[in-house]
Amino acid sequence: MKNALWKNIFQGWNRQESEAILTLKQVPVFKGFTDKEFQELEKLFHRRTYDVGEFIFKNRAPGEGMYIIMNGAVKITVGTRAENEKILAELSSGNFFGELALFDDEPRSANAIATVQSELLGFFTADLMMLNDRNPQLGNKILFNLGSVIGERLRQTNQLLFEEKSE
Amino acid sequence: MNQESESTLDNLTYLYRIYRLIVGLLSAGFVWIIWPYISNVVLILVFAFLFTTLLLKSVDGLERRINSRGLSVLIVTVGLLTGIGIFIGSFISKLSQQAIDFSNRIGQDTLTTEFNKLGQKFTALVPGGLAAGSGDFSSTLSSFVQMVVENLAGMAGALGGFLLNTAMILIFTIILLAEYHNFKKLLVSFFSNKYFEIGLTLVHNIEKSVSSYLRGQFLAAASVAVMSFAGLTILNLFGANLTLTVFIGIIAGLANLIPLVGPFVGMVPAILIAFMNNIGSDAAMAHQLFGVIPSPFYVLDIVVMFIIVQQIEGNLITPTLVGKSVGIHPMMVMISLIIGGTLMGPLGMLFAVPATGILKVIAQEMMFVRRNAHLL
């Protein structure tokens, strides 16, 4: 028997998590977030599709925020697309890039190009500021986690520099 | 060969520019044709957007505390409507109390005598040719009342239209407040990948510019309210016998948001109260501004006081406060007000500054895109 009350109470119990939330759960920046917080976050992300070879952003272009790869692959390069192109990193689903743009007004320091048709989630400074206004607890959590990720990367870079100098 | 391909490319660019010009002209023509049918809806949406921008901070702030967008919108809207209701209700009740006192104090004969005295005073001031046509002041007033009654049907229609538009603005404001962030996201999604980040910045900057403008306008309105209240209190020190000064100040401040018409709307209740409180008083009837210019019932004093307030607000406060908040030079604010007023009257003046602010943001972003086209 269908009962509207029971239907209402149990609404959402067997809800499938969206692809965007499943992707966000893989990203260290959103480590330790509750399901409710992920639902809140999902509303802030911009879903974009890029074709093969399409630039997500170019080196020295103004940066507004970070991207998370939902499906597909992206290469991070410096130099032009011609023979002097140097690939810095090849990223796939669940990876993220461009997060430094959330903190400063400096231009992008590399190119980001889709190597296959890719679906990305974009998260931008304006959205982060708005989140800080509406839900500062969640905004602070993101900032704290981003700080941890950037700190970890800095530590790795220092280690690499140290090893380079030792050799 | 190279030269040939370059000239073909030049021709194509030229053709593309002509094509864009034609498309632009056709679009402008289309908007021109359908404008009479959509202007009302556009106006409702613009007002709803302005109210949304104004209330957004409160709704976001409340949402942060109670964790429910819908409830926040409801509380803010109901709170605002209650505040407006209480203000209007208490103003009307105080005004009607004033009217009852007034009618108890003054009989019909006294009123006619006072009107005639006032009429004679004005007739004496007006040059001969004009005065000849003015006739009996009380009969002129009666014919004016008759004319108002005859036009009552038209006024009721206009009032109905106004109430409908107000209700529509309220509904659109509630929807926009509840779905504001989703609508913004939807708007940004229309930008192509190449211009996506620029588009996001553009929308964000326009939003910032409009909300700063509104904040500036409301600060200017608050300053008019305070200055009007101070001015009326000073007039009371000189025996103007004005009551409801706080209400009159608030009404003057709110009316100030509507350019041109606003300042006069602010004066009306003050003059009405001065008339009601001082009728029958020979001293008030014989009052002279600066001891020279006849100003029965302090009417001229009130007009001069409001003109001073308007001058301070118009030449000092608004250009500095509003211009600063939108980032436009005070001279540009005045030019945009003149252009807005010429194109659309008071309504044009109301939207002139935020429209200039939006155009400035768009122009800045377009210049930025042109300069950095190779990076996009």
Side-chain angles (χ1 to χ4, degrees):
Chain A
M1 191 180 72
K2 277 187 183 173
N3 185 317
L5 178 68
W6 290 115
K7 201 179 156 192
N8 243 358
I9 288 173
F10 293 110
Q11 193 177 35
W13 271 30
N14 59 350
R15 183 167 47 196
Q16 294 285 310
E17 277 176 333
S18 74
E19 207 181 344
I21 290 183
L22 288 173
T23 307
L24 292 178
K25 282 190 168 178
Q26 298 173 44
V27 181
V29 177
F30 308 112
K31 194 176 64 186
F33 279 36
T34 61
D35 283 347
K36 197 165 180 259
E37 286 170 334
F38 275 117
Q39 280 164 26
E40 183 76 18
L41 267 181
E42 192 190 7
K43 292 181 203 158
L44 296 174
F45 278 82
H46 301 266
R47 205 171 167 153
R48 311 290 299 181
T49 307
Y50 293 85
D51 285 329
V52 186
E54 192 177 354
F55 275 89
I56 293 134
F57 52 74
K58 285 183 184 170
N59 190 8
R60 292 190 295 118
E64 295 297 331
M66 66 181 281
Y67 291 89
I68 298 160
I69 306 169
M70 204 156 74
N71 291 310
V74 171
K75 62 177 177 182
I76 307 296
T77 70
V78 284
T80 59
R81 275 208 242 190
E83 57 278 354
N84 63 344
E85 180 189 83
K86 193 178 171 193
I87 298 174
L88 299 178
E90 283 179 299
L91 308 170
S92 57
S93 301
N95 291 144
F96 65 97
F97 55 94
E99 69 281 0
L100 279 179
L102 287 171
F103 296 102
D104 57 23
D105 290 330
E106 292 297 308
R108 301 283 190 189
S109 54
N111 301 307
I113 307 161
T115 48
V116 291
Q117 196 185 45
S118 307
E119 257 192 302
L120 308 184
L121 292 170
F123 183 53
F124 301 97
T125 317
D127 300 313
L128 183 58
M129 294 296 147
M130 188 191 67
L131 181 68
N132 263 339
D133 266 354
R134 292 171 68 191
N135 190 344
Q137 211 179 350
L138 189 57
N140 283 339
K141 224 168 164 178
I142 294 175
L143 286 172
F144 191 75
N145 282 357
L146 269 168
S148 299
V149 168
I150 292 169
E152 179 57 34
R153 285 186 182 172
L154 184 66
R155 209 169 289 125
Q156 282 173 5
T157 313
N158 284 342
Q159 181 68 30
L160 280 173
L161 267 171
F162 178 73
E163 281 169 13
E164 188 95 349
K165 277 192 176 174
S166 303
E167 282 167 17
Chain B
M1 183 65 189
N2 252 349
Q3 266 184 345
E4 234 175 71
S5 65
E6 262 178 33
S7 84
T8 319
L9 203 69
D10 278 350
N11 283 341
L12 275 174
T13 317
Y14 187 64
L15 280 173
Y16 184 63
R17 277 186 185 163
I18 293 174
Y19 165 76
R20 282 210 305 199
L21 185 73
I22 292 169
V23 169
L25 285 173
L26 282 175
S27 311
F30 180 69
V31 171
W32 181 264
I33 292 165
I34 63 162
W35 182 248
Y37 307 102
I38 60 164
S39 59
N40 202 31
V41 179
V42 172
L43 210 64
I44 286 171
L45 284 174
V46 169
F47 270 108
F49 172 69
L50 290 180
F51 281 119
T52 303
T53 314
L54 210 63
L55 299 174
L56 194 65
K57 284 260 172 203
S58 321
V59 172
D60 282 351
L62 199 63
E63 187 191 5
R64 193 168 62 204
R65 285 171 191 278
I66 60 172
N67 261 329
S68 164
R69 184 84 186 167
L71 201 60
S72 311
V73 174
L74 190 76
I75 291 171
V76 169
T77 319
V78 170
L80 183 78
L81 289 177
T82 313
I84 293 171
I86 289 173
F87 176 77
I88 293 174
S90 77
F91 178 65
I92 288 175
S93 97
K94 292 224 159 126
L95 196 69
S96 46
Q97 185 59 45
Q98 190 106 14
I100 292 164
D101 290 349
F102 168 73
S103 64
N104 287 343
R105 203 152 36 87
I106 308 290
Q108 180 68 39
D109 293 341
T110 327
L111 193 63
T112 314
T113 320
E114 288 291 330
F115 272 139
N116 277 332
K117 264 200 227 169
L118 201 63
Q120 278 159 15
K121 205 151 202 167
F122 276 117
T123 315
L125 285 173
V126 176
L130 281 172
S134 59
D136 184 16
F137 192 70
S138 57
S139 67
T140 314
L141 198 74
S142 310
S143 61
F144 172 73
V145 170
Q146 200 179 347
M147 191 189 78
V148 168
V149 172
E150 278 168 7
N151 290 322
L152 221 56
M155 281 164 75
L159 185 73
F162 173 77
L163 287 177
L164 183 74
N165 280 351
T166 309
M168 292 308 284
I169 289 171
L170 181 70
I171 291 166
F172 278 121
T173 305
I174 291 171
I175 295 169
L176 271 175
L177 275 173
E179 296 291 327
Y180 184 82
H181 300 293
N182 292 339
F183 279 138
K184 206 169 88 178
K185 198 174 158 185
L186 183 76
L187 183 71
V188 173
S189 73
F190 288 118
F191 286 99
S192 67
N193 284 341
K194 194 176 173 182
Y195 298 108
F196 174 59
E197 289 195 15
I198 293 282
L200 194 79
T201 316
L202 180 74
V203 171
H204 180 66
N205 287 345
I206 286 177
E207 189 187 10
K208 216 163 74 179
S209 170
V210 172
S211 81
S212 303
Y213 165 73
L214 287 176
R215 211 169 31 247
Q217 275 288 19
F218 271 84
L219 278 173
S223 69
V224 167
V226 171
M227 283 193 295
S228 304
F229 171 71
L232 294 170
T233 311
I234 291 168
L235 286 182
N236 272 345
L237 292 177
F238 290 96
N241 190 23
L242 294 163
T243 45
L244 305 178
T245 45
V246 175
F247 284 102
I248 297 169
I250 294 172
I251 289 173
L254 288 176
N256 191 67
L257 293 171
I258 311 158
L260 273 181
V261 192
F264 297 101
V265 174
M267 274 180 209
V268 173
I271 293 172
L272 202 72
I273 297 286
F275 180 73
M276 283 167 124
N277 287 357
N278 293 315
I279 201 155
S281 154
D282 288 335
M285 178 62 104
H287 173 73
Q288 290 184 324
L289 178 62
F290 306 124
V292 188
I293 311 158
S295 170
F297 306 120
Y298 291 82
V299 170
L300 211 58
D301 300 54
I302 292 168
V303 171
V304 169
M305 188 278 287
F306 272 102
I307 287 174
I308 292 170
V309 168
Q310 291 311 319
Q311 289 306 310
I312 295 172
E313 185 271 327
N315 295 311
L316 217 75
I317 296 171
T318 296
T320 318
L321 217 63
V322 177
K324 213 174 174 181
S325 63
V326 189
I328 307 171
H329 194 273
M331 209 164 114
M332 199 58 219
V333 171
M334 286 188 184
I335 293 171
S336 63
L337 281 174
I338 295 166
I339 295 173
T342 316
L343 287 175
M344 283 172 73
L347 214 58
M349 288 181 90
L350 184 66
F351 296 124
V353 182
T356 313
I358 291 171
L359 285 177
K360 188 194 165 196
V361 171
I362 292 173
Q364 274 175 342
E365 293 299 327
M366 277 172 77
M367 269 155 63
F368 181 82
V369 168
R370 274 183 90 92
R371 256 200 326 270
N372 298 289
H374 62 290
L375 295 173
L376 300 173

